[in-house]
Amino acid sequence: MHKNYLPLLFVAFLLVFGNFEAVAQKKSKKDKSIENIDHLRTAPKLVVGIVVDQMRYDYLTLFWNHYGDDGFKRLVNKGFNCKNNHFNYAPTSTGPGHTSVYTGTTPSSHGIIGNNWYDKEMNAEVYCASDDDYKSIGTTSDAGKMSPHRMTVTTVTDQLKLHYQMRSKTIAIALKDRGAVLPGGHTANAAYWFHGANEGNWITSSFYMNELPKWVNDFNSSNAAEQYKKPWTTIGDINTYLESGLDNNKYEGLFDGQTAPTFPHDLPSLWNTNGKYDIIKATPYGNSITADFAIAAIDGENLGSDLIPDFLAVSFSSTDYVGHKYGVNSKEIQDTYIRLDRDLTRLFKALDKKVGENEYTVFLTADHAAIHVPAYLKDQRIPAGYHDWDALRAGLDEFLKYKYGTVDLIKNVSNYQVFLDHDVIDNLDMQIAEVQNEIASELIKNKDMDRVYTGQQMWQNEYTQGIPYILQNGYNQKRSGDVLMVLKPGVISYSITGSTHGSPQIYDTHSPLIFYGKGIRRGSTVERTEIPDIAPTISSLLGIAFPSGSTGKPISKVIK
């Protein structure tokens, strides 16, 4: 070939190759765009997180034959059931429970170490969601002065909003303020809770907004709560409630004005002596109005209406109020769960219609479980009992006077923890670790005490199993106390009627965990899962970053 043609060929080659590269780059960008759209199409339009307050795992199996096909059974039969799910920390209570579900970590990291706790810096008790920097919205009372400011890490709901440049929407709903504020995270569009008393309205905090939206005002002005001012009778034939104890027994509490803890519970006649609208909370009607409001929120907030995923966090709190009053073996708790099953059915059918049956994802869990009434256990010759904290404190003070000549070494005893006054101990020229050990050695002598650990042990060791592992996950170095106490299994500090929770024992830690809907496999596992695994699993499903303090791991079997 003549050498004069070479420059022309070279130019032609560059033109052809350059055009090919341009096409390739354009195709690559197009493919990336398609990939992003495909990801949105495979992600659920709406995630619905459901926390059932004080739900034991065995309520799924115990009342199974009374459930319909589209509530709990729908989740279990068409979703993924984690049968060996546990809280891996203590205290097992509402504030830490909701926070751990949504942050993917434990109180040791997220900082919510109780519903209330002694604040060492403020030298005062604080509430997990209270915040005087904000005003109540929807009520003239102080019931709305709340925010998540004491939670030190992000939630899965926060991460979803960050991922989509705040275009996702998060709405959190519960009868209890802490059951809405903490799951909603720091970036929620709204958290709503129920203010009873003489109002019976859903309210919020100025942390979220300056006035209630129209749909909430419309709901409140409809007197939706008024329809539940009616007698509480069993929804089924009480004679078929064979899975629970006798209706009239000595293990159950009473509403003020009652002489027996039996059906029917005449709410209208009990109304004024039991806090008016507050009485609804301690009946299954509290769950029903929560479902009513959640369904209204789906419409009012247009949740799940586009490809950018939204989050609806719902906590059903009445199960806890009923459990505390009547106990886990009561006709009341059985009827409450049968009714909750019907409320879940209503919620799922509303989601089917408004979001699309295959377009949303649900997880259902609890914030803690509960113990059988110890008085009942004792009557069945099962080891159980009640602890007297006043007697323990009196004995501890006597020991302190004898050993150190003063009781001023202790600033507070609460949440099964002893908080020492480090300044007093320093002034007495004593070592903190030595005083912790001396007090622990004295406390373990108490007949009700099973184990005692010191803060020094929590700092120096890394526990991987058993009770110390659970305690350490609940131990926050900046907020927790100097000595940690664990009562014997079956022993509680509570009234002789009703059930409670809070311990690291398995009856308080074993709770349900079910995933259902878009992107979820059908199946079950008896391998151990833990509450902090929920947020990473949902984050993996959504393709977003894990919450900032996450210590859980995705449950790989759950996701398709």
Side-chain angles (χ1 to χ4, degrees), residues 123-169:
N123 192 27
E125 184 177 274
V126 297
Y127 175 60
C128 61
S130 64
D131 193 338
D132 288 337
D133 289 340
Y134 295 95
K135 299 182 299 182
S136 298
I137 304 297
T139 178
T140 56
S141 74
D142 289 338
K145 299 173 72 173
M146 305 287 165
S147 87
H149 73 110
R150 289 193 170 90
M151 182 170 57
T152 60
V153 299
T154 64
T155 59
V156 62
T157 48
D158 288 328
Q159 295 301 150
L160 180 63
K161 296 205 69 172
L162 289 170
H163 187 84
Y164 287 103
Q165 299 300 313
M166 301 296 161
R167 289 174 291 175
S168 290
K169 185 174 283 190

Side-chain angles (χ1 to χ4, degrees), residues 45-50 74-75 294-295 297-299 303-304 310-312 314 343-363 516:
K45 291 182 178 180
L46 178 65
V47 176
V48 182
I50 298 174
R74 178 174 178 177
L75 298 180
I295 292 168
I298 298 167
D299 266 341
L303 297 177
D310 296 324
F311 212 114
L312 175 61
V314 183
D343 288 326
L344 290 174
T345 296
R346 288 195 298 122
L347 177 59
F348 297 155
K349 288 186 175 180
L351 289 165
D352 291 343
K353 181 179 179 181
K354 295 167 185 177
V355 183
E357 188 170 353
N358 298 310
E359 296 296 340
Y360 64 91
T361 301
V362 175
F363 70 80
Y516 162 84

Side-chain angles (χ1 to χ4, degrees), residues 4-275:
N4 292 334
Y5 290 104
L6 291 176
L8 293 173
L9 288 171
F10 181 69
V11 171
F13 173 78
L14 288 177
L15 289 172
V16 172
F17 183 76
N19 186 56
F20 174 79
E21 282 292 299
V23 171
Q25 288 179 12
K26 185 176 181 181
K27 185 175 187 299
S28 175
K29 290 179 181 178
K30 183 178 180 182
D31 287 347
K32 187 174 182 180
S33 175
I34 291 171
E35 182 181 327
N36 288 339
I37 293 172
D38 285 346
H39 171 69
L40 285 173
R41 285 174 177 163
T42 57
K45 291 182 178 180
L46 178 65
V47 176
V48 182
I50 298 174
V51 176
V52 182
D53 206 325
Q54 203 191 113
M55 184 172 181
R56 293 164 56 104
Y57 172 79
D58 61 353
Y59 289 155
L60 282 176
T61 57
L62 187 62
F63 307 136
W64 183 262
N65 291 335
H66 295 268
Y67 294 146
D69 292 332
D70 289 315
F72 287 116
K73 285 186 177 180
R74 178 174 178 177
L75 298 180
V76 171
N77 292 334
K78 296 183 179 180
F80 195 95
N81 185 9
C82 300
K83 299 179 179 181
N84 188 22
N85 183 64
H86 292 270
F87 288 85
N88 62 341
Y89 66 84
T92 42
S93 51
T94 300
H98 283 78
T99 308
S100 298
V101 167
Y102 282 86
T103 62
T105 190
T106 62
S108 62
S109 296
H110 61 58
I112 304 300
I113 63 170
N115 292 335
N116 302 275
W117 66 86
Y118 171 72
D119 187 299
K120 293 185 282 190
E121 294 182 2
M122 296 175 62
N123 192 27
E125 184 177 274
V126 297
Y127 175 60
C128 61
S130 64
D131 193 338
D132 288 337
D133 289 340
Y134 295 95
K135 299 182 299 182
S136 298
I137 304 297
T139 178
T140 56
S141 74
D142 289 338
K145 299 173 72 173
M146 305 287 165
S147 87
H149 73 110
R150 289 193 170 90
M151 182 170 57
T152 60
V153 299
T154 64
T155 59
V156 62
T157 48
D158 288 328
Q159 295 301 150
L160 180 63
K161 296 205 69 172
L162 289 170
H163 187 84
Y164 287 103
Q165 299 300 313
M166 301 296 161
R167 289 174 291 175
S168 290
K169 185 174 283 190
T170 295
I171 304 295
I173 294 166
L175 291 180
K176 298 179 180 179
D177 47 50
R178 59 188 179 271
V181 170
L182 299 170
H186 305 277
T187 61
N189 297 79
Y192 299 106
W193 50 98
F194 185 75
H195 179 55
N198 61 347
E199 297 180 27
N201 288 332
W202 291 89
I203 66 170
T204 190
S205 162
S206 61
F207 177 83
Y208 306 100
M209 63 190 72
N210 293 321
E211 60 182 11
L212 292 175
K214 182 179 183 300
W215 73 266
V216 177
N217 282 324
D218 288 346
F219 188 93
N220 286 336
S221 62
S222 70
N223 293 319
E226 188 73 21
Q227 67 175 304
Y228 296 112
K229 186 180 178 180
K230 60 183 181 180
W232 174 16
T233 58
T234 57
I235 199 167
D237 181 352
I238 195 170
N239 295 313
T240 68
Y241 286 16
L242 302 178
E243 296 78 12
S244 48
L246 296 174
D247 188 30
N248 191 7
N249 63 72
K250 63 182 180 180
Y251 313 115
E252 300 179 8
L254 301 170
F255 285 118
D256 287 344
Q258 281 188 315
T259 57
T262 55
F263 282 104
H265 300 286
D266 188 5
L267 269 58
S269 68
L270 300 168
W271 195 258
N272 290 332
T273 56
N274 290 273

Side-chain angles (χ1 to χ4, degrees), residues 495-509:
S495 66
I496 60 171
T497 59
S499 293
T500 193
H501 51 84
S503 81
Q505 307 293 354
I506 199 164
Y507 44 73
D508 283 341
T509 70

Side-chain angles (χ1 to χ4, degrees), residues 479-525:
R479 295 181 175 179
S480 295
D482 293 275
V483 181
L484 290 72
M485 297 171 280
V486 180
L487 298 178
K488 289 179 179 178
V491 177
I492 63 173
S493 177
Y494 199 63
S495 66
I496 60 171
T497 59
S499 293
T500 193
H501 51 84
S503 81
Q505 307 293 354
I506 199 164
Y507 44 73
D508 283 341
T509 70
H510 191 194
S511 62
L513 175 57
I514 315 170
F515 296 87
Y516 162 84
K518 191 167 187 178
I520 303 300
R521 290 176 176 166
R522 292 189 183 186
S524 65
T525 183

